[in-house]
């Protein structure tokens, strides 16, 4: 199999090393810009009150029921399920308009009776037995679940996945120079979850995630471990394992600054 010229250059010991360092420096510089941009326009919000949790359920209804039709719509306009009672929730607010862009939940477990969604619905997809949820103390495991980003904040055609709406940006409300933030909303939600997990004494995070999102996370330094093959579960998703301490420590320098800001914002709310 022929190797492309660019790959040959990258594989050349001296030149390849210099090019990789230059790419890495550029990526970190871009990451720092994005982190600064993110914090200018976006802010994490722990859903610690009934009103804020209702906002979470409305976002989920909008995305999971109305847009993607993963669940049935209802007259209340809120999407809830059996795991909400054992969960903590976070959103990301768009500061200029005070609108909430997205939400996510961290499902906790205090006993064997409190299963995680991955244990109830996707257990057969986990083939890596060394990192199986059953190997760990219940109070030290959790699952990142029900991540939802409103269509206004998903800007690019390439961000679409099968079954998704077009996700065009509402250019009346959101100016061009803010758009760079929006592909990183999911990263911001994962960072929020990592902070909440560490604050709760969690050592092991599980998540059913699109493989493409896992690859995007790797770009910023989040090394999730794939535990099995992808299955159809609210789209094509595979089971992954994340160590929250490694999550924090392994972020690239630009994204570490974003994590610290999100960590500070969340800790001030708790």
């Amino acid at each position: 199999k022929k190797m492309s010229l660019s790959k040959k250059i990258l594989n050349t010991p001296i030149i390849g090393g210099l090019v990789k360092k230059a790419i890495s420096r550029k990526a970190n510089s871009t990451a720092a810009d994005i982190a600064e941009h993110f914090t200018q326009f976006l802010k994490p919000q722990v859903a610690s009150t009934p009103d804020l949790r209702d906002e979470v359920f409305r976002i989920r209804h909008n995305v999971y029921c109305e847009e993607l039709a993963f669940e049935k719509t209802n007259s209340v306009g809120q999407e809830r399920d059996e795991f909400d009672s054992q969960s903590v929730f976070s959103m990301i607010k768009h500061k200029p308009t005070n609108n909430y862009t997205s939400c996510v939940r961290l499902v906790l477990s205090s006993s064997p009776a409190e299963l995680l969604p991955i244990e109830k619905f996707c257990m057969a997809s986990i083939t890596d037995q060394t990192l199986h949820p059953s190997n760990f103390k219940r109070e030290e495991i959790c699952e990142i679940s029900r991540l939802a980003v409103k269509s206004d904040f998903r800007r690019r055609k390439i961000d679409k996945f099968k079954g998704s709406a077009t996700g065009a940006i509402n250019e009346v409300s959101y100016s061009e120079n803010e758009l760079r933030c929006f592909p990183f909303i999911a990263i911001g939600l994962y960072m929020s979850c990592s902070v909440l997990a560490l604050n709760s004494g969690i050592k092991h995070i599980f998540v059913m995630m699109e493989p493409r999102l896992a690859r995007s996370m790797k770009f910023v330094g989040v090394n999730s471990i794939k535990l099995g093959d992808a299955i159809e579960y609210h789209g094509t998703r595979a089971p992954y394992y994340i160590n929250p301490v490694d999550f924090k420590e392994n972020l690239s320098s630009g994204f570490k600054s974003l994590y610290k800001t999100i960590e500070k914002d969340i800790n001030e709310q708790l």
Side-chain angles (χ1 to χ4, degrees):
K1 192 176 177 180
K2 286 187 177 178
M3 189 184 288
S4 71
L5 181 60
S6 59
K7 278 193 176 176
K8 279 183 181 175
I9 291 170
L10 286 174
N11 287 330
T12 306
I14 296 172
I15 299 173
L18 291 172
V19 171
K20 283 175 183 173
K21 277 181 183 175
I23 291 170
S24 176
R25 273 199 302 274
K26 172 65 176 167
N28 273 329
S29 167
T30 305
D33 290 345
I34 287 162
E36 189 181 335
H37 222 74
F38 184 107
T39 53
Q40 186 181 349
F41 295 106
L42 303 167
K43 182 176 181 174
Q45 173 67 59
V46 179
S48 53
T49 68
D51 285 348
L52 287 170
R53 285 191 286 275
D54 282 348
E55 184 65 29
V56 166
F57 302 141
R58 281 193 288 272
I59 293 171
R60 278 170 28 183
H61 187 273
N62 175 257
V63 175
Y64 279 79
C65 305
E66 296 169 34
E67 184 187 355
L68 301 178
F70 288 150
E71 306 289 347
K72 289 181 179 177
T73 58
N74 61 65
S75 58
V76 183
Q78 296 187 9
E79 193 277 320
R80 302 171 183 246
D81 70 12
E82 63 193 284
F83 300 101
D84 289 325
S85 61
Q86 65 193 72
S87 300
V88 291
F89 308 88
S90 186
M91 295 184 284
I92 288 180
K93 180 191 277 190
H94 180 248
K95 293 198 280 193
T97 60
N98 258 359
N99 288 332
Y100 291 104
T101 69
S102 52
C103 65
V104 71
R105 73 178 174 191
L106 202 63
V107 185
L108 308 172
S109 174
S110 59
S111 72
E114 285 190 335
L115 293 177
L116 302 178
I118 200 170
E119 293 177 293
K120 183 163 184 179
F121 300 116
C122 308
M123 196 65 113
S125 68
I126 301 176
T127 53
D128 184 333
Q129 296 306 312
T130 58
L131 293 173
H132 200 280
S134 61
N135 294 345
F136 308 114
K137 292 178 181 177
R138 299 305 299 180
E139 65 272 17
E140 293 180 353
I141 66 171
C142 73
E143 180 175 347
I144 295 174
S145 167
R146 281 295 197 269
L147 186 149
V149 182
K150 285 156 80 171
S151 62
D152 298 21
F153 293 91
R154 297 198 308 269
R155 64 182 180 119
R156 303 175 300 176
K157 286 184 179 176
I158 57 167
D159 287 334
K160 288 192 298 179
F161 57 93
K162 192 177 177 184
S164 169
T166 56
I169 191 74
N170 180 346
E171 290 176 28
V172 177
S173 302
Y174 310 111
S175 62
E176 181 60 36
N177 69 332
E178 296 176 45
L179 299 186
R180 290 168 47 214
C181 295
F182 301 140
F184 293 92
I185 285 175
I187 303 290
L189 288 169
Y190 270 80
M191 287 181 177
S192 300
C193 282
S194 175
V195 173
L196 290 169
L198 287 170
N199 283 348
S200 303
I202 297 294
K203 295 180 180 176
H204 314 282
I205 299 175
F206 296 89
V207 58
M208 291 297 293
M209 180 165 48
E210 280 185 85
R212 188 172 61 187
L213 178 55
R215 289 193 294 273
S216 299
M217 301 270 282
K218 198 166 187 178
F219 173 75
V220 307
V222 179
N223 295 313
S224 51
I225 299 170
K226 197 175 180 187
L227 302 180
D229 293 333
I231 60 169
E232 275 301 309
Y233 177 69
H234 290 164
T236 304
R237 297 171 187 240
Y240 289 88
Y241 170 92
I242 298 170
N243 179 306
V245 174
D246 290 348
F247 181 115
K248 182 178 179 178
E249 296 304 319
N250 294 336
L251 288 168
S252 61
S253 59
F255 285 97
K256 264 188 181 154
S257 67
L258 175 57
Y259 185 99
K260 283 175 184 171
T261 302
I262 287 175
E263 185 176 43
K264 181 174 175 286
D265 281 342
I266 286 178
N267 285 337
E268 284 173 357
Q269 296 171 35
L270 295 176

